[in-house]
Amino acid sequence: MVQLYTYEEVSKHNTLDDLYIIIKSKVYDITKFVHEHPGGDELLLDEGAKDSTEAFEDVGHSPDACAILEQYYIGEVDIKSKAATSTKPQTKQVTAKESAGNPFRIIIPIIFFTGYFYWRIFIHGAN
């Protein structure tokens, strides 16, 4: 008999040391594969512990990648269960205003080049 997992159960497996993922209603324990993934462990951590079917298909994984995935199959998701909300902390979105940085990073080079050209043309050029 196939092991059934709820979305909530899968959502609790959300660390690099214990990571489940749902793809096409199948549950995979990808903990042992995390560090081998060509896209990096952060990608799996971001997409793990939830239904990642869309992200998996968008990448266009090869038949070899799908065969590797099958090695980690542990059961099916209970479609009657409610999809869990992410338990991962939300990252802060940086706005353009916040990423502008220190205005001196522009002003200081302008002052420097203005001074250099002034020296080069008026002071040094007079000699």
Side-chain angles (χ1 to χ4, degrees):
M1 184 168 173
V2 175
Q3 173 74 36
L4 287 179
Y5 294 89
T6 65
Y7 285 101
E8 185 179 348
E9 288 173 323
V10 172
S11 71
K12 293 177 183 176
H13 300 272
N14 59 6
T15 66
L16 292 176
D17 297 324
D18 181 26
L19 188 61
Y20 287 10
I21 195 167
I22 301 169
I23 298 174
K24 298 179 183 176
S25 298
K26 294 182 177 180
V27 180
Y28 301 92
D29 180 354
I30 56 171
T31 306
K32 294 179 182 174
F33 181 70
V34 169
H35 299 296
E36 297 174 27
H37 187 260
D41 57 5
E42 281 297 317
L43 178 68
L44 290 181
L45 194 58
D46 288 344
E47 292 300 325
K50 63 183 179 183
D51 189 340
S52 300
T53 303
E54 187 176 331
F56 183 82
E57 291 178 344
D58 285 349
V59 173
H61 286 90
S62 68
D64 290 339
C66 294
I68 290 170
L69 181 63
E70 287 304 315
Q71 297 173 16
Y72 301 101
Y73 173 80
I74 57 171
E76 304 276 327
V77 70
D78 183 0
I79 56 173
K80 295 176 186 174
S81 67
K82 186 177 177 183
T85 57
S86 178
T87 58
K88 297 175 188 168
Q90 295 293 324
T91 57
K92 181 182 176 192
Q93 297 293 327
V94 178
T95 63
K97 185 178 180 180
E98 292 172 334
S99 65
N102 191 337
F104 287 114
R105 69 185 176 139
I106 296 171
I107 295 171
I108 291 176
I110 290 173
I111 292 171
F112 173 77
F113 285 113
T114 303
Y116 172 76
F117 287 117
Y118 178 82
W119 173 80
R120 181 82 172 148
I121 294 170
F122 295 108
I123 306 294
H124 187 65
N127 293 335

